[in-house]
Amino acid sequence: MKFVTLTEQEYQLFIQKHVVHYTQSIAHYNYRQKHKKDVHLVGVKDNEEVIAACLLSEAQVLKIFKYFYSHRGPVLDFNNEKLVECFFTGLTRYLKRHKGLFVLVDPYILESNRDADGRILKSYDNSNLINQLNHLGYQYQGHSIGYSDTSQIRWLSVLDLEGKNEKQVLNEMDYQTRRNIKKTYEMGVEVKTLDISQTDQFFELFQMAEEKHGFKFREKDYFEEMQKIYSNNSALKLAYIDLKKYLNQLNNKELVLNEQLEEIKAKLKDNPNSKKNKNKYQELNKQLKSNQKHITETKNLIKSDGDVLHLASAYYIWNKDEIYYLSSGSNPKYNQFMGAYRLQWDMINFALNNNIPRYNFYGITGDFSENAEDYGVQQFKKGFNAHVEEYIGDFIKPLRPIFYKVYKLRK
């Protein structure tokens, strides 16, 4: 076995045969290589066969050194101790030659599978790997909870789709989630794909989410760059409603309800003591009043906010293994139209139609208490029948320990 740099073709052929995170894609490499020249393809060969691969990026620190990041890599058999030693020993030498100060590695390795409430369904014993990497100088950062500005989230909410059809996936959701999805269709909520030139429409809603949850993540140019990197396998989606169309639906429904009421009135005239018809009359009256209320609200909304409302928007990336729901936002003023539910269902169907086996709702904090900062988000994802996956987390290797201490002190 020998640690080597890989060609684009060698790397691509290898990752096509393995389950990988989207950040390990060749599209990511090609974009960064063309525009920034800050990316590396490395791996291990055994008799000219590639048996490990990793995409690494770099960033300058302390003016003369570089920080390296593995982007949910490397991709290899972590049960093969000789392979692990060959890769990480070779990686250390390689990065030192390239002025590395330290490297952060976060393999796409499961620590546990859990239900949506955090109860462990299956644990994975990674102690041998952690001990081996620590022995090689890759210091384990532990079982973190919460969000971090310096590393990828360790807890993911995932919906399994493999071998399922639309009806089965829908039936496995909780009642309220199914009902909300159905109501979006009844109200005429639609979804469309935004062009990169329409990123403003997404970002306006994204900023509303930042304000609501009290965080600051990225600026608009980040999302524009992501669309350029993953131009063939990502999309900005917008859930919206045309209020004039919706008003027509409501007006047509009122006509139908009035016709039904007249029929019941006629029946009650012939048989005034019919309990069944009395109950039907009350139910239709209730529906009519509710519909008239919606008509009034919709007319007022058209006057104040216009014909078309932007409800919710999200950015998605996908590969052969999963679709990732990365960033989103919605206008809380229009919560009654439930645009976020329509968005999710639209993209779940996209995954089903393209034989993508996993729908990754992405990060949660890992705090499953009712006081968790993302409790509402967790409950939303739980409603779709998503389970929780806990990943192993980060390893940091100081390549120049003295200068790394200086860096940590300055930071």
Side-chain angles (χ1 to χ4, degrees):
M1 287 187 286
K2 184 170 68 171
F3 183 91
V4 295
T5 57
L6 299 174
T7 66
E8 291 176 39
Q9 184 179 22
E10 288 173 328
Y11 180 79
Q12 176 74 339
L13 287 172
F14 180 79
I15 63 170
Q16 281 177 346
K17 300 173 185 175
H18 295 79
V19 175
V20 297
H21 193 264
Y22 75 90
T23 48
Q24 286 288 314
S25 71
I26 198 69
H28 186 192
Y29 171 80
N30 287 336
Y31 182 87
R32 294 188 77 129
Q33 182 66 8
K34 180 179 178 180
H35 296 277
K36 301 179 181 181
K37 299 194 182 302
D38 65 348
V39 66
H40 305 251
L41 298 179
V42 297
V44 173
K45 284 184 178 180
D46 187 19
N47 294 325
E48 296 307 309
E49 178 190 359
V50 178
I51 57 173
C54 185
L55 181 156
L56 293 157
S57 63
E58 63 180 53
Q60 194 166 353
V61 289
L62 296 181
K63 295 185 178 179
I64 59 172
F65 296 117
K66 295 175 181 177
Y67 149 65
F68 289 86
Y69 173 48
S70 74
H71 295 276
R72 295 288 200 195
V75 182
L76 53 80
D77 178 4
F78 285 93
N79 294 314
N80 185 332
E81 292 185 6
K82 289 183 178 179
L83 175 57
V84 169
E85 181 168 358
C86 179
F87 179 86
F88 284 98
T89 301
L91 181 63
T92 297
R93 288 196 296 263
Y94 178 84
L95 298 181
K96 281 183 177 179
R97 291 199 306 270
H98 286 80
K99 299 181 180 179
L101 178 65
F102 71 100
V103 58
L104 188 151
V105 179
D106 58 349
Y108 209 28
I109 300 174
L110 276 170
E111 184 77 9
S112 69
N113 281 318
R114 300 174 181 243
D115 67 17
D117 297 314
R119 289 182 288 265
I120 294 177
L121 304 173
K122 184 177 181 180
S123 292
Y124 301 87
D125 185 3
N126 294 314
S127 56
N128 287 340
L129 175 62
I130 292 170
N131 290 336
Q132 184 181 12
L133 289 178
N134 279 333
H135 179 73
L136 293 169
Y138 290 80
Q139 303 163 1
Y140 185 47
Q141 302 304 295
H143 298 89
S144 61
I145 290 176
Y147 299 126
S148 168
D149 293 332
T150 58
S151 62
Q152 291 252 24
I153 195 73
R154 219 169 60 81
W155 304 81
L156 302 179
S157 183
V158 178
L159 173 63
D160 287 324
L161 300 175
E162 191 164 16
K164 297 179 182 179
N165 57 37
E166 180 183 318
K167 184 178 179 181
Q168 186 178 355
V169 172
L170 193 62
N171 287 340
E172 289 174 351
M173 297 177 188
D174 71 25
Y175 169 77
Q176 191 60 50
T177 299
R178 290 199 308 273
R179 184 171 180 270
N180 289 346
I181 291 170
K182 182 181 178 183
K183 284 180 72 176
T184 65
Y185 283 91
E186 291 172 353
M187 292 184 291
V189 176
E190 299 178 77
V191 174
K192 67 179 178 181
T193 303
L194 298 177
D195 184 78
I196 191 170
S197 64
Q198 298 171 302
T199 304
D200 277 337
Q201 294 179 32
F202 158 82
F203 194 65
E204 181 180 359
L205 294 164
F206 177 75
Q207 287 181 304
M208 291 182 185
E210 286 185 320
E211 185 177 341
K212 177 183 177 181
H213 297 291
F215 72 91
K216 187 67 181 173
F217 177 55
R218 301 281 187 169
E219 296 300 329
K220 188 183 77 169
D221 58 359
Y222 166 80
F223 295 104
E224 290 173 334
E225 183 178 53
M226 289 289 280
Q227 290 172 82
K228 292 173 184 174
I229 295 173
Y230 302 102
S231 58
N232 294 320
N233 60 310
S234 75
L236 277 181
K237 294 286 184 172
L238 175 72
Y240 67 98
I241 186 167
D242 185 324
L243 291 179
K244 285 196 170 179
K245 286 183 182 179
Y246 180 45
L247 185 59
N248 285 335
Q249 284 179 231
L250 293 171
N251 287 331
N252 290 334
K253 186 176 180 180
E254 183 172 17
L255 291 172
V256 172
L257 288 170
N258 277 319
E259 286 177 5
Q260 291 174 340
L261 268 172
E262 289 303 316
E263 289 175 8
I264 293 296
K265 281 181 184 178
K267 289 179 181 178
L268 283 171
K269 191 173 181 180
D270 294 335
N271 186 6
N273 296 319
S274 170
K275 188 175 180 180
K276 179 182 176 182
N277 287 333
K278 282 181 180 179
N279 289 338
K280 183 69 174 175
Y281 180 80
Q282 288 176 353
E283 177 60 29
L284 287 171
N285 246 326
K286 184 180 175 181
Q287 289 183 36
L288 185 60
K289 286 178 181 177
S290 175
N291 195 69
Q292 287 169 342
K293 181 184 175 184
H294 289 321
I295 287 173
T296 301
E297 289 173 346
T298 304
K299 286 179 177 178
N300 290 336
L301 207 47
I302 290 172
K303 286 179 183 177
S304 62
D305 293 37
D307 296 346
V308 178
L309 305 182
H310 293 175
L311 310 176
S313 188
Y315 181 59
Y316 298 87
I317 297 177
W318 57 87
N319 61 16
K320 68 184 187 309
D321 304 308
E322 53 191 333
I323 184 165
Y324 305 81
Y325 165 52
L326 288 180
S327 298
S328 66
S330 61
N331 190 332
K333 185 178 178 182
Y334 309 136
N335 279 349
Q336 72 266 33
F337 298 111
M338 295 174 287
Y341 287 91
R342 182 70 174 82
L343 269 183
Q344 300 301 343
W345 183 235
D346 186 79
M347 292 307 290
I348 288 170
N349 274 282
F350 174 87
L352 289 169
N353 293 334
N354 287 276
N355 298 313
I356 299 173
R358 286 160 50 93
Y359 188 87
N360 196 330
F361 284 94
Y362 227 55
I364 57 172
T365 59
D367 176 0
F368 298 99
S369 71
E370 291 186 8
N371 298 320
E373 62 178 295
D374 65 334
Y375 180 76
V377 171
Q378 288 188 48
Q379 294 305 301
F380 172 76
K381 296 174 180 180
K382 177 183 176 180
F384 287 88
N385 191 40
H387 69 275
V388 172
E389 295 183 350
E390 178 190 7
Y391 284 80
I392 192 169
D394 296 347
F395 296 81
I396 291 177
K397 165 80 174 185
L399 300 163
R400 291 175 167 81
I402 294 174
F403 287 105
Y404 181 67
K405 286 181 180 178
V406 173
Y407 165 79
K408 292 286 285 183
L409 286 169
R410 288 186 63 177
K411 189 179 178 183

